[in-house]
Amino acid sequence: MTNLTYAEENYLKAIYQLSEEGKKGVSTNDIAAEMKTKPASVSDMLRKLGEKEVIEYRKYYGVHITEEGKKFALRTIRKHHLWEVFLVDKLKFSWDEVNAVADELQHIKSKILIQRLDEYLGFPKFDPHGDPIPDEYGDVRARPRLPLNELSILDTGQIVAVKDNSSAFLKYLDKVGAYIGARIKVLEKVEFDGSIEIMVDNKKTLFMSKEVAANILIMQ
């Protein structure tokens, strides 16, 4: 049975998530940016992961995650998201505080602990940031989502997730009152800079930059 170090699990998780964004082959530069490290360090890690047959890497063709690698990555993602739910729902962390803590907890190996955690939480399907939680078999319940900036004037929908879960971005959303579950309606789009005006819960109007709107995911 293949065993991965904490660092290898982190890299594999990042490679899986980058590959899910539609890239045919994930580049070392993509991985370096995601892991906030140098390409040379990535190359060394890719060699180790290749030896464990969880990725395939060919120079100039990028990194492809294997089926075995996907199983490892989804297991880590499942634990990460479940711990985020626990931290927010049970320990009253705010959603901008949980990512770093869950990064540590996601490496716990006990299968029975994660099963009981899932049961204790009521088998949640989505984490506090709206990301789907893989079940114990690695199945993911996806739902159709569009970046807010791609909606047209008078379109309506519900905020269901965020692409950027950095503390700074989540604190900004808290400040302006944009939260998971909020109902929105697009009132105006500015052609010059792509900024957008929306109505939230039929109560208040918000103005957002194109960059902010691109990181908010809507279900119509």
Side-chain angles (χ1 to χ4, degrees), residues 21-45:
E21 293 176 5
K23 300 179 184 296
K24 292 184 178 180
V26 181
S27 74
T28 53
N29 287 335
D30 290 332
I31 300 168
E34 181 71 17
M35 299 302 295
K36 299 179 175 59
T37 189
K38 297 178 180 179
S41 299
V42 173
S43 296
D44 184 54
M45 178 58 73

Side-chain angles (χ1 to χ4, degrees), residues 78-79 82-83 109-124 135-137:
R78 168 174 163 79
K79 290 185 285 185
L82 285 173
W83 283 119
K109 303 295 185 183
S110 173
K111 184 176 180 180
I112 188 66
L113 172 62
I114 301 306
Q115 289 175 335
R116 292 188 179 178
L117 176 65
D118 193 16
E119 181 180 6
Y120 174 65
L121 295 171
F123 305 102
D135 67 18
E136 62 180 315
Y137 305 106

Side-chain angles (χ1 to χ4, degrees), residues 51-65:
E51 289 173 355
K52 294 186 177 183
E53 300 183 345
V54 291
I55 66 158
E56 295 174 349
Y57 174 57
R58 290 171 60 199
K59 199 170 184 180
Y60 308 120
Y61 290 90
V63 180
H64 296 268
I65 191 166

Side-chain angles (χ1 to χ4, degrees), residues 140-204:
V140 182
R141 177 182 292 182
R143 53 187 176 187
R145 309 179 301 183
L146 276 177
L148 175 54
N149 66 305
E150 292 186 11
L151 270 61
S152 301
I153 295 174
L154 300 184
D155 278 353
T156 61
Q158 184 177 33
I159 298 175
V160 293
V162 292
K163 291 176 69 176
D164 182 347
N165 63 1
S166 67
S167 179
F169 184 68
L170 298 177
K171 285 179 179 178
Y172 169 77
L173 294 186
D174 281 339
K175 182 178 180 180
V176 300
Y179 62 95
I180 302 294
R183 301 293 307 181
I184 64 98
K185 180 177 182 179
V186 179
L187 302 178
E188 188 63 67
K189 298 184 76 174
V190 179
E191 183 178 354
F192 173 68
D193 62 0
S195 59
I196 190 169
E197 179 185 4
I198 64 171
M199 177 72 75
V200 179
D201 291 336
N202 293 316
K203 294 178 181 179
K204 63 179 179 178

